[in-house]
C-alpha cells in the first residue's frame, strides 16, 4: 500500500472558509454535542435503573442511545476541534479508522431502527402473541444481527478505501472522512468503486427505509380496529419512530443513492444524519412518552436525594 500512496494525511476543508461562521458552528456544535451526550446518557441510565429495561421497545431504545453516542463521537469531537484550529488535518490511518467507525455505528443504528419497527409491528398488530414473539432471546438476536449488519456494511467500505491510490491531492471537501470525498482525490478510475459504494450504502439505506415505511403503513392501517385510546398511544409511539427514521434516512439516501460524486451540499445533508438526528432522538423518544418521562424523573429525584443525604 505504501507504493500506491505518497501522502500521510488529508486536509479536511470543513464546513466554511469564513472564520465567523466557524466560530458560530463551534458554539452550536459544542452545545449540540453536550446536549446529545447528556440526553442519551440520561436515557441509558433511566432505562437501566427501571423496569423499562425488560420491555423490548426500551431495550432497543437503550441500544439506539448507545449507538447515537458512539456514532456521533466518531465525528463531532474532531469537527469541534477543527473549527477552533487552523489547518484541519487528519492522518491517513485515522481517516480510515473514522471512515470505518462512521459506517459501522451508522449501520448498527439503521438495523436497530429496523428492529424497533418490528417490535412496534408485533406490539400493535399481534398484541396477543407479543410477549412470545418479542421474548428476550429474540431481542438479543436482533441486536446481535444489527451488529453483524453494521460489520457487513462497514468492512467493504474500509477495504475499498484502503485500496485507493493517492498520488498528491489530499484535500477532502468535507468535515469528516467519507468514501465519496476519498474517491474524488484518488488517482485512478473510481467508477466501479463508486458503483459498489452506491450498492453498499445507497441500496442498503433505500431498502431499509422502504421496509420501515411499509411496516409503519401496515401498523397505521391496523389501528382502525383499536380503541381511541389505543390509537392515540400507538400513534404517539409510531410518530416518534417515523420522525427519527425521516431525519436519518432522508439525507443519507440523498447522499449515497446517486451517481458517485461529491458535492459541497453533501456536508449540509450529512449534518442531519451525523449530528441533528442523534441529538433529537432523546427529545423525540421522551417528550411524547409518559413512561420514559416518569423513569427519567425518578432517576433525577434519586440523584438529588442521594446528594442531599451525603450533604
Amino acid at each position: 500500500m505504501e507504493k500506491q500512496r505518497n501522502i500521510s494525511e488529508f486536509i479536511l476543508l470543513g464546513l466554511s472558509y469564513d472564520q465567523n461562521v466557524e466560530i458560530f458552528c463551534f458554539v452550536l456544535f459544542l452545545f449540540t454535542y453536550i446536549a446529545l451526550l447528556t440526553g442519551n446518557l440520561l436515557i441509558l441510565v433511566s432505562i437501566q435503573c427501571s423496569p423499562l429495561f425488560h420491555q423490548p421497545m426500551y431495550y432497543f431504545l437503550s441500544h439506539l442511545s448507545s449507538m447515537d453516542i458512539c456514532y456521533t463521537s466518531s465525528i463531532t469531537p474532531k469537527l469541534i476541534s477543527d473549527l477552533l484550529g487552523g489547518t484541519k488535518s487528519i492522518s491517513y490511518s485515522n481517516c480510515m479508522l473514522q471512515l470505518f467507525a462512521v459506517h459501522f455505528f451508522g449501520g448498527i443504528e439503521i438495523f436497530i431502527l429496523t428492529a424497533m419497527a418490528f417490535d412496534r409491528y408485533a406490539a400493535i398488530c399481534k398484541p396477543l402473541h407479543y410477549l412470545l414473539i418479542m421474548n428476550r432471546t429474540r431481542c438479543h438476536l436482533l441486536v446481535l444481527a444489527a451488529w453483524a449488519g453494521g460489520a457487513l456494511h462497514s468492512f467493504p467500505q474500509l477495504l475499498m478505501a484502503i485500496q485507493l491510490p493517492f498520488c498528491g491531492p489530499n484535500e477532502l471537501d468535507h468535515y469528516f472522512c467519507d468514501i465519496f470525498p476519498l474517491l474524488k482525490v484518488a488517482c485512478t478510475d473510481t467508477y466501479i468503486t463508486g458503483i459498489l459504494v452506491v450498492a453498499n450504502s445507497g441500496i442498503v439505506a433505500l431498502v431499509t427505509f422502504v421496509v420501515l415505511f411499509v411496516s409503519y403503513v401496515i401498523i397505521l392501517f391496523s389501528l382502525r380496529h383499536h380503541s381511541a385510546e389505543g390509537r392515540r398511544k400507538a400513534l404517539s409511539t409510531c410518530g416518534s419512530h417515523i420522525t427519527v427514521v425521516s431525519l436519518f434516512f432522508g439525507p443519507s439516501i440523498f447522499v449515497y443513492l446517486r451517481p458517485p460524486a461529491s458535492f459541497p451540499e453533501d456536508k449540509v445533508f450529512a449534518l442531519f444524519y451525523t449530528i441533528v438526528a442523534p441529538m433529537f432522538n432523546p427529545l423525540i423518544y421522551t417528550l411524547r412518552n409518559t413512561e420514559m418521562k416518569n423513569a427519567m424523573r425518578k432517576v433525577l429525584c434519586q440523584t438529588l436525594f442521594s446528594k442531599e443525604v451525603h450533604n
Side-chain angles (χ1 to χ4, degrees), residues 48-300:
Q48 294 285 340
C49 298
S50 73
L52 293 179
F53 183 71
H54 301 290
Q55 299 183 32
M57 185 178 81
Y58 297 102
Y59 173 77
F60 291 128
L61 179 57
S62 67
H63 283 279
L64 182 68
S65 293
S66 300
M67 288 305 103
D68 277 341
I69 293 172
C70 295
Y71 178 56
T72 308
S73 295
S74 64
I75 299 171
T76 310
K78 169 66 177 167
L79 170 62
I80 292 172
S81 65
D82 286 346
L83 288 169
L84 276 184
T87 304
K88 306 171 182 68
S89 61
I90 183 170
S91 68
Y92 176 86
S93 57
N94 285 341
C95 181
M96 295 300 111
L97 179 62
Q98 186 180 59
L99 171 71
F100 173 78
V102 167
H103 285 274
F104 179 61
F105 293 122
I108 295 173
E109 185 157 343
I110 283 175
F111 295 119
I112 287 178
L113 287 171
T114 307
M116 293 176 76
F118 177 71
D119 170 69
R120 290 301 84 202
Y121 167 80
I124 295 169
C125 300
K126 308 283 185 181
L128 298 179
H129 302 92
Y130 175 64
L131 294 178
L132 182 63
I133 295 171
M134 297 305 298
N135 57 63
R136 187 41 62 103
T137 301
R138 182 159 289 155
C139 290
H140 289 326
L141 289 174
L142 286 171
V143 170
L144 183 62
W147 279 76
L152 288 172
H153 165 66
S154 55
F155 275 110
Q157 297 274 347
L158 178 63
L159 291 174
M160 286 186 283
I162 62 178
Q163 291 176 14
L164 293 172
F166 301 101
C167 308
N170 67 337
E171 291 186 341
L172 305 181
D173 189 15
H174 217 302
Y175 60 90
F176 69 95
C177 282
D178 203 5
I179 189 69
F180 280 152
L182 288 171
L183 292 179
K184 193 172 182 180
V185 299
C187 53
T188 187
D189 183 5
T190 59
Y191 178 78
I192 299 299
T193 305
I195 296 298
L196 293 173
V197 171
V198 171
N200 183 297
S201 297
I203 300 299
V204 167
L206 179 63
V207 170
T208 308
F209 177 75
V210 170
V211 170
L212 290 170
F213 179 79
V214 170
S215 68
Y216 284 119
V217 168
I218 295 172
I219 289 170
L220 295 175
F221 187 75
S222 70
L223 290 177
R224 297 177 307 156
H225 308 296
H226 287 65
S227 64
E229 177 63 21
R231 282 198 299 269
R232 186 197 63 79
K233 187 174 181 180
L235 284 171
S236 177
T237 304
C238 291
S240 302
H241 292 203
I242 291 169
T243 305
V244 170
V245 166
S246 301
L247 280 172
F248 191 89
F249 280 92
S252 60
I253 288 173
F254 173 82
V255 170
Y256 292 108
L257 192 67
R258 66 177 191 214
S262 178
F263 301 106
E265 295 80 9
D266 290 352
K267 293 182 284 188
V268 178
F269 283 99
L271 287 172
F272 281 92
Y273 59 82
T274 58
I275 298 176
V276 175
M279 182 195 72
F280 277 110
N281 279 356
L283 295 175
I284 290 168
Y285 282 111
T286 56
L287 291 180
R288 301 177 65 184
N289 189 312
T290 305
E291 289 180 322
M292 196 67 238
K293 284 190 287 187
N294 290 337
M296 293 171 73
R297 194 178 294 115
K298 184 177 179 182
V299 168
L300 290 173

Side-chain angles (χ1 to χ4, degrees), residues 2-13:
E2 287 296 330
K3 294 180 180 179
Q4 291 184 317
R5 61 181 176 86
N6 57 7
I7 60 172
S8 58
E9 65 178 15
F10 294 101
I11 305 299
L12 299 170
L13 297 183

